[in-house]
Amino acid sequence: MSDRAATEKKFHTLLESFRIDILPDFVQNWDELSADERDVCSKMNNFFCSLHLLVNFADVCSVALGKFEKLFNKSLGAETLEADSDDSEVKNAECGTIRLIRTCSKSFAKGVDERNGVHGGFKTYMKSIGDKVNFIRYKHNRFNVFFQLGHTTYHHRNNIKTFLESIHGCTNRLLSSVLADIKEPLYIAGSRALGLISKLVCGPLWRKIEYSSHVFNLNELLSVLLDFLEIGKEDSSIILSGNLKPFPDQINDNDEILNELLKPDDSDELTVQILQSLFGVMIILLKRQAGDHLPGGKFSTPTQLTREQTNEWLNNLPVSERNQLIEDSRKEGRKIRHQFKQRLQQIESERLIKLRKKEEEIRLKKIKQLQKKQNMTNDIMYFGLWQSHEQVPSDKCLFAFSADKKKFTVAQLEANLNTLISESKTSSCTNERMTVNKPLLVGKWIEHKFANNIWYKGKVLSVVPGFVEWYNVKYEGDSVVYVFKLHEDYAAGDLQMLAMSPSQGLISLMLALFKC
């Protein structure tokens, strides 16, 4: 059973085609079966969910109401109020009747709109006149709320008008919208029409569907509904007289709201016209979505084979065969459950592998980013802008790309860069730089790699007197002073600059350079 969505129809077609392809491999003596027998084995019966029919009734009725209201070609009710883009209740895609029942629910249902709604005051007023509030939530409710709120709005129409005009007043735009719409006869007639469909069609049909023992039992119900709609489409006045009810056994004659809906009223003429319009689109929908179960449809006169229920078929089998089938099913069930658990474990394992893979990718990405920043730091320490941590400008905003959540313009970024360059030129300079015209290395902590591919931490002590390319270096854990051409080692990638002593680490300088 499906809801006849496009995806469901496509799936059914593919499944039926697949079934036909594999049947010869699983059915014994397939080649010996007659064409009719093969056709019966190959056929799959796809049934329509009747509750989805009720859902779609609401959709088509909403559209039909909108088209009917447009025939009047003028602004009505809340549409005549001064529009306000911020809090206006008028929505272009919504017809006036739906707007009325929605705003009534928003105003008078409990807990829907605590700011603009007046449930408490309206409840007190209704209690004072011996009645109660029947409004329920419009949004986030079951699908037939569209029709149910129709008869609720019609039932409370006079109470709402009196309450807003004489008791409470319209203190906000929501209540003003309700009052303007509740005075409009067209919207009252629309609410009444929806209420009649709720009481005579949707409610009774829903109860019939829920208590039906077999899908084919719905054939008669749908045929009765079609006859009712076709009669009502021609003349809905017979419905207002109370002489036409599709499911009389499901209708309570003492229902006060239904009796009020059927009571003669000034809105009778408009209600008849609206009902006839709504019945027309409901007939089209019913024939399209439930045509298989209507007279002439492929399930309208089901054969014993299509109607036979599993329980009946099983009970008609010989006792020994029935017991064997049940036992085989139990064994197969255990096997299927075991396979299902194994599949779940496999899925869980695959997910874990993917998570580990993502975790490793993120780790490597972070290492790569950190290495990139470290290389940038080395270059800055080696080539400038500054030769020590103390020389870095104290105004860290010069390193930023934005401020107050606004990105800097290109001109601002260029100005900041020029400021940094200017400050680097005014930083203290030593005789080493002026003498050898090379980046300052004396006094710096370094990491130096040798032929054994091991990195050693050390400190550059001085330039060898008379040999400006050579530096005296002392390494941690070694009291000997060594001499190397450090510029060549740096160019070869065998030398890295440390921002400060190894005990302080590299992170502090990186934060100073990249954080604002």
Side-chain angles (χ1 to χ4, degrees):
M1 181 174 289
S2 74
D3 58 3
R4 292 288 177 90
T7 51
E8 293 282 356
K9 292 180 180 180
K10 183 63 176 178
F11 172 76
H12 174 73
T13 302
L14 293 174
L15 182 61
E16 189 170 28
S17 176
F18 174 71
R19 176 187 171 89
I20 293 173
D21 291 340
I22 65 172
L23 274 176
D25 299 329
F26 290 90
V27 177
Q28 295 180 354
N29 303 321
W30 175 263
D31 295 333
E32 299 176 6
L33 298 179
S34 65
D36 291 339
E37 290 173 332
R38 291 183 184 182
D39 183 63
V40 170
C41 292
S42 304
K43 189 175 182 180
M44 291 182 61
N45 297 317
N46 187 34
F47 299 106
F48 173 71
C49 174
S50 298
L51 288 180
H52 279 82
L53 185 65
L54 300 181
V55 178
N56 297 330
F57 276 160
D59 293 336
V60 297
C61 285
S62 176
V63 175
L65 269 174
K67 292 181 178 180
F68 184 86
E69 291 175 5
K70 287 182 179 179
L71 296 176
F72 288 78
N73 198 28
K74 62 178 180 179
S75 298
L76 301 171
E79 297 168 4
T80 61
L81 301 177
E82 183 179 357
D84 189 318
S85 59
D86 293 331
D87 57 0
S88 175
E89 291 295 336
V90 177
K91 300 180 180 180
N92 294 331
E94 186 179 53
C95 67
T97 301
I98 304 304
R99 180 179 65 245
L100 172 60
I101 64 176
R102 176 181 61 80
T103 53
C104 282
S105 170
K106 189 176 180 181
S107 301
F108 306 117
K110 183 179 180 180
V112 177
D113 190 337
E114 298 294 348
R115 186 182 68 173
N116 298 315
V118 287
H119 167 74
F122 190 63
K123 178 182 177 182
T124 301
Y125 166 68
M126 293 301 296
K127 187 175 181 180
S128 68
I129 62 175
D131 203 345
K132 63 179 181 179
V133 179
N134 295 320
F135 280 106
I136 59 175
R137 180 183 293 271
Y138 178 80
K139 291 185 177 181
H140 312 297
N141 209 319
R142 56 190 182 184
F143 54 80
N144 71 325
V145 70
F146 175 86
F147 298 104
Q148 185 176 349
L149 281 174
H151 65 65
T152 302
T153 302
Y154 183 78
H155 172 71
H156 284 306
R157 66 193 186 284
N158 294 325
N159 305 130
I160 293 173
K161 190 184 302 183
T162 301
F163 179 75
L164 294 180
E165 283 185 334
S166 307
I167 307 297
H168 183 277
C170 297
T171 55
N172 54 59
R173 187 170 292 276
L174 172 63
L175 300 181
S176 298
S177 172
V178 172
L179 181 59
D181 284 338
I182 206 72
K183 293 180 178 180
E184 179 52 53
L186 176 61
Y187 301 157
I188 293 298
S191 301
R192 186 184 183 189
L194 294 177
L196 285 168
I197 294 175
S198 174
K199 289 292 185 179
L200 298 178
V201 177
C202 294
L205 182 59
W206 191 350
R207 292 189 289 272
K208 286 276 191 181
I209 291 172
E210 285 189 331
Y211 290 102
S212 178
S213 59
H214 196 281
V215 65
F216 288 129
N217 294 340
L218 300 178
N219 292 4
E220 183 179 355
L221 298 178
L222 296 175
S223 296
V224 170
L225 176 60
L226 179 61
D227 293 339
F228 169 80
L229 294 176
E230 288 180 337
I231 295 174
K233 179 186 175 183
E234 297 300 324
D235 183 12
S236 293
S237 61
I238 190 174
I239 296 176
L240 293 184
S241 66
N243 295 324
L244 182 62
K245 299 175 182 177
F247 310 110
D249 60 317
Q250 293 292 323
I251 295 176
N252 182 7
D253 293 332
N254 297 321
D255 188 333
E256 294 182 2
I257 294 181
L258 175 59
N259 291 333
E260 184 176 0
L261 290 168
L262 297 175
K263 188 184 300 183
D265 185 78
D266 294 339
S267 62
D268 284 356
E269 183 178 352
L270 274 174
T271 303
V272 168
Q273 296 177 23
I274 294 174
L275 280 175
Q276 291 177 175
S277 299
L278 299 185
F279 286 166
V281 296
M282 291 172 70
I283 289 172
I284 295 174
L285 179 70
L286 181 61
K287 289 182 177 180
R288 185 176 74 245
Q289 295 196 337
D292 292 343
H293 297 271
L294 296 174
K298 63 180 181 180
F299 297 135
S300 59
T301 54
T303 63
Q304 181 61 28
L305 186 61
T306 56
R307 186 180 180 85
E308 191 174 62
Q309 299 186 36
T310 303
N311 190 44
E312 295 175 357
W313 167 79
L314 190 62
N315 290 332
N316 291 331
L317 292 176
V319 176
S320 59
E321 184 178 354
R322 180 171 67 246
N323 292 338
Q324 184 62 43
L325 281 174
I326 293 174
E327 182 62 26
D328 292 343
S329 297
R330 288 173 180 166
K331 293 180 180 179
E332 187 67 19
R334 288 193 291 268
K335 180 181 178 182
I336 292 174
R337 286 192 295 272
H338 179 68
Q339 292 175 342
F340 178 70
K341 291 180 179 178
Q342 287 183 325
R343 178 57 181 157
L344 287 180
Q345 292 176 354
Q346 181 183 355
I347 292 173
E348 194 70 21
S349 299
E350 291 175 355
R351 285 176 179 170
L352 185 60
I353 292 173
K354 290 182 179 180
L355 286 176
R356 293 286 183 265
K357 184 178 179 181
K358 288 183 178 180
E359 181 183 15
E360 181 65 15
E361 290 175 353
I362 293 174
R363 188 184 70 84
L364 294 176
K365 184 178 179 181
K366 288 182 177 180
I367 291 176
K368 186 177 180 180
Q369 291 175 343
L370 185 61
Q371 185 63 45
K372 182 178 179 181
K373 292 180 179 180
Q374 184 176 353
N375 292 338
M376 292 171 63
T377 304
N378 280 331
D379 288 341
I380 290 176
M381 291 299 300
Y382 186 81
F383 295 105
L385 301 173
W386 308 279
Q387 297 299 315
S388 68
H389 177 60
E390 290 74 17
Q391 294 177 357
V392 178
S394 59
D395 185 5
K396 301 303 185 296
C397 288
L398 292 172
F399 300 95
F401 292 92
S402 63
D404 298 329
K405 298 182 180 180
K406 293 183 179 180
K407 293 183 178 180
F408 288 153
T409 63
V410 175
Q412 288 174 309
L413 293 173
E414 288 180 351
N416 288 344
L417 179 59
N418 290 330
T419 301
L420 292 174
I421 294 174
S422 298
E423 292 197 14
S424 70
K425 292 179 179 179
T426 59
S427 298
S428 59
C429 197
T430 64
N431 291 331
E432 179 192 3
R433 167 173 284 200
M434 292 185 295
T435 302
V436 301
N437 196 27
K438 293 286 186 179
L440 189 66
L441 296 179
V442 175
K444 298 294 172 45
W445 287 91
I446 62 172
E447 275 191 324
H448 202 177
K449 186 176 73 171
F450 291 89
N452 58 3
N453 288 326
I454 298 178
W455 291 84
Y456 294 90
K457 292 183 175 64
K459 185 175 183 180
V460 181
L461 301 178
S462 62
V463 176
V464 177
F467 300 91
V468 295
E469 298 293 334
W470 295 83
Y471 287 84
N472 294 316
V473 184
K474 183 179 179 182
Y475 297 94
E476 284 187 330
D478 192 344
S479 59
V480 179
V481 176
Y482 298 88
V483 178
F484 295 102
K485 288 186 176 182
L486 296 182
H487 294 298
E488 294 180 1
D489 291 339
Y490 186 88
D494 295 332
L495 183 73
Q496 291 185 355
M497 310 298 297
L498 296 179
M500 50 195 70
S501 66
S503 61
Q504 293 175 296
L506 178 64
I507 301 301
S508 297
L509 180 61
M510 291 176 60
L511 291 175
L513 292 175
F514 297 103
K515 182 179 179 181
C516 177

